[in-house]
Amino acid sequence: MRKVRRAGAIGNFIEYFDNALYAYFAVTIAKLFFPTVDPVAGLLSTFAVFGLAFLIRPVGGIVFGHIGDRFGRKRQLILALLLMSIATTILGLLPTYDTVGILAPILLIACRLLQGFSVGGESTGAFVLVVEHSKAQNRGHNTAPLIVASIAGAACAALTAMITTSMLSPEALINWGWRLPFFIAVPLGIVGLYLRLHIDESDAFKDAAKESAVINAGAGHRHSPLVQAFRTVPKELFILFCWVALQAVAGYLTVGYMVSHLVQFEGFQMSTALGILVVGMVIAMIACTLLGRLMDKMTRKNFATLMSTGLAIWVLPAFILMSWGAVPAAIGLGVFASLMYSTMIVSGVAIVELFPVDVRASASGFAYSVAFSVFGGTVPFIATWMSASFGATAPAYYVMVFAVVGIFVARFGLPNAREMDVIADPIKLGSPATELPVRAQQ
């Protein structure tokens, strides 16, 4: 189980490290790739490129989800990891606007699209791999390390950016220093590849592969996993989409926008803003380790309701505390991040408990990626516009709306702990495609 957790966690670490790194250097990237516009417009352009990567994320979710359901979670995760690492490395090598003109932002967009495509297969694939190997009563405990790895990725990106900006002069940072952190993707990718080459598929996936083979042999044809998911579990697809919408908005407000907010609207220096984020992330890492264990002691519904209610209540105080100084800002952000990342623990477990094994990677990859595409990628842009137009605390109300929706999804949509079906088709050939009865309810 430790090997599986490590293999899943390394991808989450790289995903959040890469995305957060782009966001933390947003101000620098805006100057280098969009130098012809004013600072706020340049920042908005940079965040627009950040959001573009999310548009292709559902395509990645569909492609990699199909690979995961048909050829195995292991292959899915290895391919996604390699593509993600390559895209981030290339981003660090890109020429700037002064060198190649309009080609520079075009190449930047291409790299972000490649990153988004790979993340579409990584995000849910790691959850599926780990939770499928877990017993129902330990799923929260085993999912938490993946969330901690995500937080660590964002925190390490902030720490890397803080060290880089502190040690280099502004001229050196603009000329070449901003590139260095993106090259860390190379050793991270090598470590991730090694870890993922040394894992095996879960027994649940092996059982699903055998039963699917029997159906294919008898029927002669079977729909793709995603089509099968839309036929058999459409309600579950919508439930996951709605829950992940909250996670996407709160998550990318934290890692995609908050540093720029602290600099642009609260007046902090970049190094101070990054330090605030690192402290907040450390608080969240400790909290999520404990919250994963708490989830296994409660019903899924009660835990999810508690976390989404906490977000709805705390988000406004968190923004207010940011104007009180560095220490209150770090505390406020730390509590907010702890609540936000706990929604990811819920998502990781729900992915497995909502969907049968043979359509799980495709169904979860699609719903998860579409939610992030629609809501996550647009957060930095929307939050920047709201803060500039209505005041520094305005983005808090945006999160509140999604948190309230999350409360209703938690109460009436998410299942409590259960073992799901191996396949979405009935064993008996020729009967209508319906979901098999739940095997065990706990």
Side-chain angles (χ1 to χ4, degrees):
M1 194 67 232
R2 284 195 297 270
K3 287 175 63 177
V4 172
R5 284 200 301 260
R6 286 196 295 266
I10 186 65
N12 279 27
F13 180 93
I14 295 173
E15 173 194 341
Y16 274 78
F17 181 86
D18 292 352
N19 273 317
L21 204 60
Y22 179 92
Y24 299 154
F25 281 99
V27 175
T28 302
I29 291 173
K31 294 176 182 177
L32 291 169
F33 290 85
F34 304 97
T36 59
V37 295
D38 68 83
V40 173
L43 189 60
L44 286 172
S45 299
T46 305
F47 281 145
V49 174
F50 181 86
L52 278 175
F54 289 80
L55 294 179
I56 201 169
R57 191 166 174 168
V59 180
I62 294 171
V63 172
F64 284 107
H66 185 88
I67 294 171
D69 283 329
R70 286 293 168 87
F71 305 105
R73 313 333 189 183
K74 181 177 177 178
R75 290 186 185 181
Q76 171 189 354
L77 291 173
I78 287 174
L79 290 173
L81 180 74
L82 287 174
L83 193 60
M84 190 161 46
S85 300
I86 290 170
T88 302
T89 304
I90 293 175
L91 197 153
L93 296 169
L94 291 180
T96 62
Y97 190 92
D98 288 341
T99 305
V100 295
I102 193 64
L103 184 61
I106 293 174
L107 292 173
L108 180 67
I109 290 170
C111 281
R112 285 295 300 159
L113 290 175
L114 197 59
Q115 283 181 320
F117 180 79
S118 60
V119 168
E122 174 62 44
S123 299
T124 54
F127 287 133
V128 169
L129 175 77
V130 171
V131 182
E132 276 187 350
H133 278 83
S134 305
K135 296 179 180 179
Q137 63 268 27
N138 295 325
R139 286 174 181 163
H141 170 67
N142 287 327
T143 303
L146 273 68
I147 313 307
V148 172
S150 301
I151 305 171
C156 285
L159 194 60
T160 301
M162 183 173 64
I163 292 172
T164 304
T165 54
S166 299
M167 294 184 64
L168 298 177
S169 66
E171 294 77 17
L173 184 68
I174 286 287
N175 290 333
W176 53 269
W178 69 273
R179 300 180 183 274
L180 298 180
F182 291 95
F183 297 148
I184 298 175
V186 176
L188 287 176
I190 293 172
V191 172
L193 180 62
Y194 173 82
L195 291 174
R196 289 183 171 179
L197 284 171
H198 291 81
I199 57 173
D200 196 11
E201 300 290 353
S202 68
D203 291 337
F205 176 79
K206 293 175 183 177
D207 291 342
K210 291 177 183 177
E211 294 192 25
S212 295
V214 172
I215 289 179
N216 288 339
H221 170 73
R222 193 157 180 258
H223 291 290
S224 71
L226 184 58
V227 172
Q228 193 69 12
F230 273 106
R231 296 177 66 207
T232 57
V233 285
K235 183 181 74 173
E236 287 78 1
L237 281 165
F238 183 69
I239 289 169
L240 183 63
F241 171 82
C242 291
W243 179 259
V244 174
L246 168 60
Q247 174 190 326
V249 170
Y252 276 95
L253 189 79
T254 305
V255 301
Y257 166 76
M258 202 58 74
V259 169
S260 297
H261 176 85
L262 291 170
V263 173
Q264 194 81 25
F265 299 105
E266 301 294 351
F268 289 100
Q269 295 295 318
M270 175 63 80
S271 57
T272 305
L274 291 167
I276 290 170
L277 190 73
V278 169
V279 173
M281 293 297 184
V282 170
I283 294 172
M285 288 172 67
I286 297 170
C288 282
T289 301
L290 301 174
L291 287 170
R293 296 179 182 274
L294 177 64
M295 185 180 191
D296 290 329
K297 306 294 183 183
M298 303 173 63
T299 67
R300 306 288 196 249
K301 290 180 180 294
N302 287 345
F303 181 84
T305 303
L306 180 64
M307 296 304 109
S308 50
T309 302
L311 274 174
I313 294 172
W314 183 254
V315 60
L316 182 58
F319 268 86
I320 293 173
L321 287 172
M322 289 174 196
S323 63
W324 290 11
V327 174
I331 295 172
L333 183 58
V335 175
F336 177 78
S338 300
L339 294 166
M340 180 275 292
Y341 280 110
S342 70
T343 66
M344 290 181 64
I345 302 177
V346 176
S347 297
V349 174
I351 282 169
V352 167
E353 296 180 348
L354 283 170
F355 305 112
V357 180
D358 67 329
V359 301
R360 184 171 288 156
S362 296
S364 61
F366 178 79
Y368 201 95
S369 297
V370 171
F372 267 92
S373 177
V374 174
F375 299 110
T378 57
V379 166
F381 186 94
I382 291 174
T384 301
W385 173 78
M386 290 183 71
S387 292
S389 302
F390 306 108
T393 61
Y397 298 98
Y398 187 59
V399 177
M400 281 184 193
V401 173
F402 287 87
V404 171
V405 173
I407 294 171
F408 284 96
V409 174
R411 295 310 305 166
F412 304 110
L414 294 175
N416 283 319
R418 61 180 178 178
E419 301 289 347
M420 288 303 296
D421 313 309
V422 172
I423 59 172
D425 285 325
I427 299 288
K428 185 178 179 181
L429 300 177
S431 60
T434 56
E435 190 178 358
L436 291 173
V438 173
R439 293 183 171 181
Q441 186 78 35
Q442 298 175 351

